[in-house]
Amino acid sequence: MVAVHASAHSVASSEWIICLDKRPAERSGEDVDIILARLKGVKAFEKFHPNLLQQICMCGFYEYLEKGITLYRQGDIGTSWYAVLSGSLDVKVSETANHQDAVTICTLGVGTAFGESILDNTPRHATIVSRENSELLRIEQREFKTLWEKYRQCMAGLLAPPYGAVQECFSVPRSQLPLSLSRILLQVPSEKILRAEKGLRNAILARAPHMIRDRKYHLKTYRQCCVGTELVDWLLQQSSCVHSRAHAVGMWQVLLEEGVLNHVDHELNFQDKYLFYRFLDDEEEDAVLPSDDDKHEAEEELQETLLILSQIGPDALMRMILRKPPGQRTAEDLEIIYDELLHIKALSHLSNTVSWLSHVLCVFAFYISVFNQGEEGTSWYIIQKGSVNVVIYGKGVVCTLHEGDDFGKLALVNDAPRAASIVLREDNCHFLRVDKEDFNRILRDVEANTVRLKEHDQDVLVLQKSLRPSSHGNIPAHFKYTVMSGSPEKILEHLLETMRLDIHFFDPDPALDDFVLMHCVFMPISQLCPALLRVCTYHSQASQGSEQERLDYSVASKRRVLSLALRWATLQGHHLLEDDTALSFVGVRSIHKHTHAGIESLTTSLHRDLIHKVLLRQFSSGEERLAKKQPIRSFDDILLKVYCSDHTYTTLRVPVLATGREVTAAVADKLGSTEELLLINLSASGEKQILKPNDVSVFQSLGVNGRLFACSREQLDSLNPLAEQEGPSTGSMSSFELMSSKDLACQMTQYDWELFSCVHEYELVYHTFGRQAYRRSTANLELFLKRFNQVQLWVVTEVCLCGTLSKRVQLLKKFIKIAAHCREFKNLNSFFAIIMGMCNPAVSRLSQTWEKLPSKFKKFYAEFESLLDPSRNHRAYRLTVAKMEPPIIPFMPLLIKDMTFTHEGNKTFIDGLVNFEKMRLIANTIRAVRHCRSQLFNAEVSPASKNPQEVRNYVRQLNVIDNQRTLSQLSFILEPRRS
């Protein structure tokens, strides 16, 4: 170890350093007080118990390192523990014996601590090099061991990664944590969370000051405390963005994890119980009460604070649940874990085991590495946060794993040593862990509770058996069989056989509804209708039993088919109305032959309630809802403008589902050309995409400013975009700056609603699974997505075409206001589009413009930007939408991303069988879309609007530049790159 003594440094005269230079036995009480005053100035040491801090002052030493000094090397046997008082140090790790191969994996800043390996005399796990001139507090091994034995509980709770990742995330007792993991002291809470704590405390003191007061319990007085249950109640009363008590618990847990809200006995989990919690500002005896201005400001910012916490609360709740021992997890806890696990990439193919994993998973954190090559495999890991390198001796880093990836399973399955080392690429990585014993038990239990029906030695139906408790005390519990996968015919057969006939046919059956909603993917109407007819005509003919028994069996079979048909029509009225096979199936006589009152009743219901009420009512209400913009249907014709290489064009009338071959044939016929033509999608940036002859609905592939060209192969290289594709050369701010932001948002929402209402839910399915395979159009969905892109580009175009700095600042303010009103109107699609437009590199790089933006608008934008990636927490977004009263215009790109993830890797089909569990998840997205538009949207233009028609025309005809290169060039002209 190389160090420079303090006396050689300019700060050597500091009194506290002189005191630390004395031998511990020579330090007086005054010396200890001087050292103590200095250490209290380090924020991280505020968490230490006063007695422990005093002991450190009595035995610690001062060390000063100049920049570039190696404190110790990886593999050395340690002699001291260190805490950083100023400066910073790099942590370097090498997977070989050569220290020159060491890679810096993180940096230790002020308040961090390291070196606990001296407790068990293990070699140093990393090399420590000073990044800059640094001051350290050093405690020698003997004294540190003494402190650890005496203050183990206190120190184990304080030595933890940032945000309490180790102490918060481990499900084992802190005293059992591997010492190499307890390396970093709690850091100062983030500015955002500190502001949230202060705002919530001041808002409580303004609205309900009785909640924060001295409380007595068991003859002991606790100063300035709140009760957990009261805090949850208060949150639920303040905002609709708090969905449930569990959600509120997660929001308070965020504050608890960052140390700005503390349990009086330092418990790690926030609980909705009569337990006492204290805000950070109330920790001091002379806590300052907020002024009237502070209270007023807190009330103004309360909704913004709650919205931010509501977004990150579910993550904290998830961590809190995973810390619980498996036996203490409630049914609600398991449901929350299950919902989150379904969106983890590593588990995408393990649908039938996810529910079992919910019981045993725990969350873990590591500092440098997870395990080393050659070690025994004891656990399987899934990356919840962060990334790792996979390192093999002699080869170095062979790959990098990111959030959602897993590792370590092979060693468990093969019972072999680890084949590689796993080294962290960044700080504060979190992992979900399944231990070997639980892993093997799950495999056994899942297989034991899996029922497989085979034909010709092949699985045709896979069911999962679970015990369903009875809701009545006198009825015993029974087994429930859930369809996991199977052939379409066997799934249909199972659902019909298990259909209950003792309940009203309008009562929902979740499994049946999932089948009805998703059958188009794996069993189109052309297959489903004949299969149902076979059930009526063949399967209903029982070959055994008395005549009455055979009759009852026949009647029951037909009742099941009719009940399914009625449910089918109720859920998919439009879809049936547009399909001739479905309509003919409804009128097939073999279904309606009745010899029993139950069949007659169902037949009457099917004709009267289904056709005349369900179908026609849905169709008429749809026509009324879409009066201003009609949906494009698969059997419609459209006008298609196709350009030639000389920029002339021809107009064709073709079916919506016309293929590329049919369109090129129609162009050649109209032009009288005998050449073989290519159909080209030419973007505004000049990119060319040759459309395939079998592509259906080719017009749907066009971008915002894209155009369709037909040319010979020789003309392909000479194709250039049209002048109109370049977009505007001047901004339109002069046109819309006088328009009210609320009017603009209202008209945008009205137009978005018309587009959204035209989208049939099945278009999301065909978009996910590929419209080419099903020869179905997704034209309405593509128009809606194109509008989303257009609004983004509108924001970027207007800013980049605004040459005056003050005008650009006004533009940003205008867009932030419009976004706020869109969110108020529950138009999440345009809200996110506007924010994403402002995040575009061509806009976000305009530092001079952003600097001039008033702080109030910067705060609004920061809040909006924090909501921009709800895909980080699907559950938070889904809960937000579910809590809203419809009508809602959802953030459609996220819904599509969610469905695509579920289907990713063709995991919705396994060895030719339908993965019905995945189909259920996609069906839930369809239900979410239906919830969003379950009420009609009533557009109310603001009374202050002077010319609503002008605003309406403007928002429906946005002219934009759809070329990122052009937008970036304009941006650099506005504000050149600083040298």
Side-chain angles (χ1 to χ4, degrees):
M1 180 180 72
V2 180
V4 180
H5 196 270
S7 59
H9 191 255
S10 61
V11 297
S13 60
S14 296
E15 192 174 8
W16 74 279
I17 299 178
I18 296 174
C19 296
L20 276 175
D21 275 343
K22 295 181 180 180
R23 294 180 179 180
E26 298 175 356
R27 293 176 191 174
S28 65
E30 184 178 353
D31 292 336
V32 172
D33 290 340
I34 293 171
I35 301 170
L36 184 62
R38 170 65 178 90
L39 295 187
K40 281 185 175 180
V42 179
K43 188 73 175 178
F45 281 103
E46 291 182 357
K47 295 291 182 181
F48 277 78
H49 190 280
N51 293 342
L52 171 60
L53 192 56
Q54 192 170 34
Q55 291 292 322
I56 290 175
C57 294
M58 293 176 65
C59 65
F61 291 92
Y62 177 85
E63 294 285 354
Y64 176 79
L65 300 181
E66 291 185 339
K67 180 181 178 181
I69 298 298
T70 299
L71 181 63
Y72 58 72
R73 295 188 181 277
Q74 182 178 344
D76 291 348
I77 299 299
T79 59
S80 300
W81 172 85
Y82 301 89
V84 184
L85 301 178
S86 71
S88 59
L89 302 97
D90 286 335
V91 179
K92 299 188 175 186
V93 174
S94 172
E95 289 298 327
T96 66
N98 191 346
H99 296 298
Q100 295 179 348
D101 297 335
V103 177
T104 301
I105 62 168
C106 67
T107 299
L108 304 175
V110 176
T112 58
F114 56 96
E116 292 92 334
S117 63
I118 60 174
L119 287 170
D120 51 5
N121 291 317
T122 56
R124 297 296 196 187
H125 299 274
T127 299
I128 304 295
V129 180
S130 55
R131 188 182 184 89
E132 56 186 312
N133 294 348
S134 303
E135 292 178 292
L136 307 179
L137 177 72
R138 176 173 61 86
I139 299 178
E140 295 182 349
Q141 184 178 33
R142 185 179 62 182
E143 284 73 19
F144 187 76
K145 283 186 174 183
T146 302
L147 291 177
W148 177 263
E149 291 301 323
K150 189 173 182 180
Y151 298 99
R152 175 189 295 266
Q153 184 175 0
C154 179
M155 294 183 74
L158 291 166
L159 301 179
Y163 314 108
V166 170
Q167 74 163 18
E168 309 296 342
C169 294
F170 280 68
S171 60
V172 299
R174 288 194 295 268
S175 59
Q176 298 177 21
L177 294 180
L179 300 177
S180 60
L181 304 179
S182 302
R183 294 182 176 271
I184 307 175
L185 291 169
L186 281 171
Q187 294 183 344
V188 179
S190 66
E191 185 64 32
K192 180 171 66 173
I193 299 302
L194 276 172
R195 191 168 64 247
E197 178 266 342
K198 190 175 294 291
L200 288 175
R201 174 180 178 266
N202 292 348
I204 290 175
L205 289 172
R207 298 186 176 190
H210 64 278
M211 288 176 57
I212 303 178
R213 66 179 190 272
D214 293 349
R215 299 175 186 269
K216 291 185 177 180
Y217 187 72
H218 285 187
L219 303 179
K220 185 176 180 180
T221 300
Y222 297 90
R223 295 180 44 263
Q224 295 299 94
C225 294
C226 305
V227 172
T229 302
E230 292 179 1
L231 289 174
V232 171
D233 290 337
W234 185 81
L235 271 191
L236 289 168
Q237 294 167 7
Q238 305 309 311
S239 174
S240 60
C241 70
V242 185
H243 314 304
S244 63
R245 301 191 72 84
H247 189 198
V249 167
M251 293 166 67
W252 289 119
Q253 180 66 23
V254 172
L255 304 186
L256 194 71
E257 287 184 352
E258 295 225 14
V260 296
L261 179 75
N262 295 299
H263 185 270
V264 293
D265 289 332
H266 306 291
E267 294 292 335
L268 302 179
N269 291 344
F270 184 90
Q271 296 187 60
D272 185 8
K273 295 181 180 179
Y274 191 79
L275 299 175
F276 297 155
Y277 296 91
R278 186 182 294 120
F279 285 104
L280 182 62
D281 286 351
D282 290 318
E283 292 284 353
E284 300 295 334
E285 292 188 10
D286 54 348
V288 178
L289 293 175
S291 65
D292 291 340
D293 289 341
D294 291 336
K295 292 179 181 179
H296 180 69
E297 182 182 359
E299 293 202 60
E300 282 188 341
E301 297 181 355
L302 179 60
Q303 295 306 315
E304 171 192 342
T305 300
L306 294 180
L307 189 60
I308 293 172
L309 290 177
S310 72
Q311 293 294 317
I312 57 181
D315 279 338
L317 180 64
M318 177 76 165
R319 289 192 295 271
M320 187 174 71
I321 293 171
L322 288 173
R323 280 195 304 272
K324 294 182 181 180
Q328 296 180 14
R329 294 174 186 173
T330 65
E332 185 180 7
D333 292 341
L334 296 176
E335 183 180 351
I336 291 172
I337 300 173
Y338 178 77
D339 195 44
E340 288 298 321
L341 296 184
L342 291 174
H343 292 90
I344 293 178
K345 181 171 64 175
L347 304 177
S348 62
H349 62 294
L350 298 174
S351 301
N352 58 332
T353 62
V354 168
S355 59
W356 298 82
L357 288 172
S358 304
H359 293 76
V360 300
L361 275 174
C362 60
V363 69
F364 231 77
F366 291 96
Y367 178 67
I368 293 179
S369 63
V370 181
F371 53 71
N372 294 317
Q373 185 175 343
E375 292 180 354
E376 179 188 358
T378 58
S379 299
W380 170 43
Y381 298 93
I382 301 165
I383 304 174
Q384 188 188 31
K385 175 184 175 184
S387 58
V388 300
N389 284 331
V390 180
V391 181
I392 297 179
Y393 293 143
K395 295 183 179 180
V397 177
V398 295
C399 68
T400 299
L401 303 177
H402 300 275
E403 184 175 313
D405 292 327
D406 69 308
F407 56 89
K409 186 165 54 179
L410 191 62
L412 303 189
V413 174
N414 297 335
D415 199 20
R418 299 294 192 189
S421 299
I422 302 295
V423 180
L424 273 60
R425 295 181 69 244
E426 52 192 289
D427 292 343
N428 203 23
C429 294
H430 292 178
F431 304 88
L432 300 177
R433 189 192 72 183
V434 179
D435 291 333
K436 184 174 183 178
E437 182 180 347
D438 291 325
F439 181 83
N440 292 331
R441 179 172 55 81
I442 287 174
L443 293 182
R444 292 194 304 269
D445 291 347
V446 168
E447 192 59 36
N449 288 279
T450 299
V451 179
R452 301 178 184 274
L453 177 63
K454 294 180 179 290
E455 289 184 357
H456 306 293
D457 292 329
Q458 297 292 325
D459 289 341
V460 293
L461 185 66
V462 180
L463 305 175
Q464 182 173 302
K465 181 175 66 173
S466 59
L467 189 65
R468 173 188 286 176
S470 174
S471 57
H472 303 285
N474 57 343
I475 301 177
H478 60 282
F479 284 108
K480 171 189 175 184
Y481 292 89
T482 304
V483 178
M484 303 308 298
S485 62
S487 66
E489 294 78 9
K490 290 300 178 183
I491 292 175
L492 175 61
E493 185 179 314
H494 173 79
L495 292 176
L496 288 173
E497 287 179 355
T498 56
M499 183 186 295
R500 293 182 59 188
L501 297 178
D502 57 337
I503 59 175
H504 194 274
F505 48 75
F506 275 123
D507 290 341
D509 178 352
L512 190 64
D513 286 356
D514 291 334
F515 179 90
V516 168
L517 288 172
M518 295 305 303
H519 74 83
C520 63
V521 174
F522 53 86
M523 197 175 195
I525 292 177
S526 59
Q527 296 179 19
L528 177 59
C529 291
L532 291 173
L533 285 175
R534 285 196 296 273
V535 172
C536 290
T537 56
Y538 299 110
H539 295 282
S540 62
Q541 302 298 322
S543 58
Q544 297 179 352
S546 65
E547 181 178 352
Q548 185 60 43
E549 289 173 338
R550 291 197 301 271
L551 177 61
D552 291 343
Y553 183 83
S554 175
V555 168
S557 297
K558 292 183 179 181
R559 282 191 65 194
R560 290 187 174 97
V561 172
L562 286 169
S563 295
L564 185 145
L566 189 57
R567 191 64 189 161
W568 186 18
T570 302
L571 293 175
Q572 295 292 356
H574 282 300
H575 195 60
L576 288 180
L577 193 67
E578 296 177 0
D579 194 284
D580 293 336
T581 305
L583 289 176
S584 62
F585 166 74
V586 171
V588 170
R589 293 184 61 189
S590 61
I591 300 181
H592 309 303
K593 292 179 181 177
H594 56 87
T595 55
H596 192 281
I599 292 291
E600 182 175 6
S601 172
L602 281 175
T603 303
T604 304
S605 297
L606 188 62
H607 278 89
R608 183 184 66 246
D609 297 331
L610 167 61
I611 297 178
H612 297 296
K613 290 187 177 181
V614 178
L615 288 182
L616 297 183
R617 184 178 67 245
Q618 288 186 2
F619 186 73
S620 62
S621 65
E623 292 295 330
E624 179 182 348
R625 183 176 68 230
L626 307 176
K628 295 185 178 180
K629 182 168 182 61
Q630 298 293 331
I632 301 172
R633 295 169 296 189
S634 296
F635 50 78
D636 287 340
D637 287 342
I638 59 166
L639 291 176
L640 197 60
K641 188 182 286 186
V642 182
Y643 290 85
C644 301
S645 58
D646 59 359
H647 288 187
T648 60
Y649 67 86
T650 182
T651 304
L652 306 173
R653 187 180 186 88
V654 296
V656 167
L657 290 175
T659 63
R661 181 181 292 105
E662 292 168 342
V663 172
T664 51
V667 172
D669 182 60
K670 195 160 186 179
L671 298 178
S673 173
T674 57
E675 290 185 285
E676 182 180 353
L677 299 179
L678 300 175
L679 202 59
I680 310 297
N681 172 10
L682 184 63
S683 70
S685 61
E687 295 179 2
K688 307 177 184 72
Q689 177 190 0
I690 302 177
L691 301 177
K692 298 177 182 177
N694 293 329
D695 287 349
V696 298
S697 297
V698 291
F699 68 95
Q700 295 178 210
S701 60
L702 299 177
V704 175
N705 287 350
R707 296 293 185 270
L708 207 58
F709 279 74
C711 67
S712 63
R713 189 169 293 278
E714 291 75 18
Q715 297 171 323
L716 181 61
D717 292 336
S718 63
L719 281 186
N720 293 310
L722 305 170
E724 64 189 52
Q725 289 184 259
E726 295 178 3
S729 57
T730 57
S732 61
M733 184 179 180
S734 58
S735 301
F736 79 92
E737 67 176 340
L738 299 178
M739 300 176 187
S740 161
S741 300
K742 189 169 185 178
D743 289 345
L744 285 164
C746 183
Q747 289 292 347
M748 290 175 71
T749 301
Q750 184 175 0
Y751 184 49
D752 287 353
W753 180 258
E754 292 176 18
L755 293 171
F756 176 54
S757 298
C758 291
V759 179
H760 194 283
E761 301 96 331
Y762 272 15
E763 292 190 54
L764 278 81
V765 176
Y766 296 133
H767 181 94
T768 302
F769 287 84
R771 67 175 188 273
Q772 315 293 351
Y774 296 92
R775 288 190 61 82
R776 295 283 185 172
S777 172
T778 58
N780 301 292
L781 177 59
E782 299 296 342
L783 286 175
F784 189 58
L785 294 176
K786 188 180 292 187
R787 173 65 179 183
F788 179 86
N789 295 331
Q790 186 183 44
V791 172
Q792 283 189 72
L793 292 169
W794 169 56
V795 174
V796 188
T797 299
E798 293 298 335
V799 173
C800 290
L801 290 178
C802 186
T804 307
L805 178 61
S806 60
K807 289 285 188 182
R808 287 200 300 278
V809 174
Q810 293 301 316
L811 261 178
L812 291 182
K813 290 168 60 178
K814 187 85 170 179
F815 285 129
I816 291 172
K817 288 179 181 179
I818 295 172
H821 286 303
C822 283
R823 188 175 68 170
E824 177 187 339
F825 292 141
K826 293 178 287 190
N827 182 357
L828 303 180
N829 215 60
S830 281
F831 167 73
F832 281 113
I834 292 171
I835 301 305
M836 289 180 72
M838 298 176 76
C839 290
N840 186 283
V843 176
S844 62
R845 65 164 298 275
L846 299 174
S847 56
Q848 297 174 35
T849 306
W850 286 99
E851 287 170 3
K852 295 288 185 181
L853 191 67
S855 58
K856 176 182 177 181
F857 287 90
K858 287 180 181 178
K859 187 182 297 183
F860 281 138
Y861 176 73
E863 172 203 342
F864 294 161
E865 191 181 22
S866 70
L867 307 176
L868 187 59
D869 189 15
S871 59
R872 287 280 302 171
N873 196 325
H874 295 254
R875 184 168 179 267
Y877 176 78
R878 291 196 302 274
L879 285 174
T880 299
V881 172
K883 187 73 173 179
M884 287 182 176
E885 291 293 331
I888 309 163
I889 303 177
F891 183 28
M892 192 64 78
L894 178 61
L895 295 179
I896 291 174
K897 182 178 180 180
D898 214 358
M899 293 179 68
T900 304
F901 171 81
T902 303
H903 172 60
E904 191 178 40
N906 205 30
K907 295 297 191 303
T908 40
F909 296 94
I910 305 173
D911 298 329
L913 300 182
V914 179
N915 186 338
F916 203 61
E917 185 73 3
K918 293 294 182 184
M919 295 298 173
R920 289 190 184 99
L921 298 180
I922 297 177
N924 287 338
T925 304
I926 294 177
R927 292 186 180 96
V929 172
R930 290 188 168 186
H931 166 75
C932 289
R933 62 180 181 201
S934 58
Q935 296 178 16
L936 299 181
F937 174 75
N938 296 318
E940 296 181 0
V941 181
S942 170
S945 178
K946 297 178 180 179
N947 192 345
Q949 189 61 40
E950 181 183 355
V951 181
R952 171 187 167 89
N953 292 339
Y954 177 80
V955 301
R956 291 169 183 250
Q957 298 174 5
L958 300 176
N959 293 317
V960 302
I961 298 173
D962 184 13
N963 187 335
Q964 187 62 44
R965 188 184 303 108
T966 301
L967 292 169
S968 297
Q969 290 171 351
L970 290 170
S971 175
F972 281 106
I973 292 173
L974 295 177
E975 294 185 19
R977 183 183 284 116
R978 295 176 179 176
S979 57

